[in-house]
Amino acid sequence: GPFATSSTALDPGDFSLTAAASMGAITAVSPVSLTGDGWILDAWLDLGGTVTLTDMLDARIELVDDPAAIIDKKDNVADPTPRRAVDIGMGVVNVLSASDGIHAEVPGTDPALVSGALGTLRLFDGTGRLYDKDVTLFTALDLTPAGDLAALAAMPLSMYFDAGAPEDSYAVFDIAGRPAALDLWLPTFLPGYNREANLGARTLAPFFSGILPSTARNFLVPASDADMVSGTEIGFLFRLGSLYLAREAVPGDPRGFDLWRFRVQDVLKQSGGVTILNNVIDSVKRERTAVQVDLAEGGQVSVLVFTLDGDVVKALQRGRLGAGSYTFTWDGSNASGDPVARGIYFIRVVGPGLDEMRKVMVIKD
């Protein structure tokens, strides 16, 4: 955290790192910002090696100079006892994608499909949106070094999420050069970081854990959660053992820690019990349109794709369905699986008490 000293002459010898096998020694201490009278407020500690997960968990740092010579902004003398060298880790959890069942990765579609084309969400800076449904998060861990793989893989991983954390659960200090938009609450009180815990954060354990060599850990955010409503931003982070893990919002910059984020939106229902989502698609990229059908009663249901001339291109559904809500998708292919030509197409839904038509425009970039 921030500290002040009456001298700018901090050097590597003022600190001691232990249990830091890969981090190496501190090679330089560089002041980042100073007070008007020349006191150091914060500083970079340059390391001789690479910070691994094992270092994040085990490494300790302490002052070996006179602690009375280093004080904080309130004139509190620095604590000379060893403390954790890394409070918040980055680069350990890779959130690969998220799916609400409609935004999904489907075999045969472009794996790089963006969420706007009903592909999975892959960007977690708060600009991406998912529907207010059960959301599956697909993650993988970077378990390093390799010699500790089994022990690291056995450690419990938890996810914390919330949409409205108390102000005092965020960092209470400013970091010079850190983008103002970045902010991170913690579900517990961490001395020197926040004033209180975010006790409202919900905790999830992975519903799926891959067996080595797989490091997959998948989580489910339930649609029933009170925050899964349109307009909210869900923020989340992880904890491995006792170490909090954040998103690396600024690659290579230790100041760039942030929550992973996505926004929640409702599916705006259209008339007649039939709702179409994303009705402009690229058939070559296998972008998808989705049709949601709400059946008040069971019966025979057909969902067919037609050309402007009335020719059937593909049947998405033929047969009996019970009452309920169903989603059918079309990726711009015909019955043979080939991309259709650009142009206007129609999806007709016929069932008990409904006969609705929705238009789809197929393009080719």
Side-chain angles (χ1 to χ4, degrees):
F3 60 88
T5 176
S6 58
S7 169
T8 57
L10 281 174
D11 59 54
D14 294 324
F15 301 89
S16 174
L17 271 178
T18 56
S22 300
M23 291 171 68
I26 298 172
T27 59
V29 181
S30 307
V32 175
S33 58
L34 305 173
T35 65
D37 51 1
W39 286 32
I40 298 172
L41 289 175
D42 45 19
W44 287 102
L45 301 184
D46 296 330
L47 302 173
T50 301
V51 182
T52 68
L53 175 55
T54 297
D55 290 328
M56 295 181 203
L57 292 165
D58 299 338
R60 296 294 184 268
I61 189 170
E62 63 180 303
L63 292 165
V64 295
D65 199 357
D66 179 10
I70 299 180
I71 59 175
D72 66 13
K73 293 181 180 180
K74 299 295 184 180
D75 291 333
N76 297 307
V77 174
D79 185 352
T81 58
R83 55 155 292 135
R84 186 171 217 151
V86 177
D87 287 317
I88 298 171
M90 293 186 292
V92 177
V93 176
N94 183 13
V95 181
L96 305 173
S97 61
S99 172
D100 55 20
I102 297 174
H103 296 89
E105 186 172 322
V106 177
T109 62
D110 184 347
L113 221 60
V114 297
S115 61
L118 299 188
T120 55
L121 181 63
R122 298 174 184 275
L123 187 62
F124 296 93
D125 61 359
T127 59
R129 286 166 168 75
L130 293 169
Y131 292 124
D132 52 349
K133 298 177 175 294
D134 289 346
V135 170
T136 303
L137 292 163
F138 301 93
T139 80
L141 299 176
D142 178 10
L143 303 176
T144 55
D148 298 336
L149 196 60
L152 295 174
M155 296 186 69
L157 179 70
S158 300
M159 172 183 158
Y160 298 84
F161 73 97
D162 196 10
E167 181 179 351
D168 282 348
S169 66
Y170 291 87
V172 296
F173 55 87
D174 296 324
I175 301 176
R178 175 176 165 83
L182 307 185
D183 219 348
L184 181 129
W185 47 258
L186 290 178
T188 56
F189 169 63
L190 179 62
Y193 183 84
N194 55 6
R195 293 190 180 94
E196 67 175 90
N198 178 14
L199 299 178
R202 274 76 78 213
T203 311
L204 296 173
F207 70 85
F208 171 81
S209 296
I211 299 174
L212 290 176
S214 169
T215 61
R217 303 285 189 276
N218 299 339
F219 297 82
L220 180 69
V221 181
S224 59
D225 187 87
D227 284 337
M228 289 293 286
V229 294
S230 186
T232 61
E233 180 184 85
I234 302 293
F236 60 99
L237 72 160
F238 300 89
R239 185 172 179 171
L240 185 69
S242 60
L243 175 68
Y244 287 111
L245 301 169
R247 179 173 69 94
E248 187 178 10
V250 183
D253 190 335
R255 298 169 298 184
F257 58 91
D258 192 19
L259 298 168
W260 286 269
R261 309 168 188 269
F262 67 86
R263 299 197 69 82
V264 181
Q265 70 179 70
D266 287 333
V267 175
L268 299 178
K269 299 289 187 179
Q270 298 165 5
S271 62
V274 176
T275 300
I276 191 165
L277 307 170
N278 190 45
N279 65 344
V280 179
I281 61 174
D282 187 325
S283 60
V284 174
K285 294 180 180 178
R286 288 291 200 261
E287 293 180 354
R288 297 179 301 125
T289 187
V291 176
Q292 289 193 322
V293 180
D294 296 317
L295 296 177
E297 58 181 291
Q300 294 295 321
V301 177
S302 65
V303 182
L304 305 177
V305 182
F306 291 90
T307 64
L308 269 173
D309 299 330
D311 296 327
V312 176
V313 174
K314 194 170 190 177
L316 306 180
Q317 160 65 27
R318 275 193 176 119
R320 182 175 179 81
L321 294 174
S325 181
Y326 300 87
T327 300
F328 305 94
T329 61
W330 181 52
D331 64 359
S333 65
N334 59 25
S336 300
D338 299 319
V340 299
R342 65 167 57 91
I344 301 296
Y345 294 82
F346 295 94
I347 299 179
R348 184 180 183 185
V349 181
V350 178
L354 61 85
D355 187 346
E356 295 286 329
M357 196 93 74
R358 297 292 182 266
K359 182 169 66 174
V360 180
M361 179 179 292
V362 174
I363 62 174
K364 292 185 177 180
D365 288 341

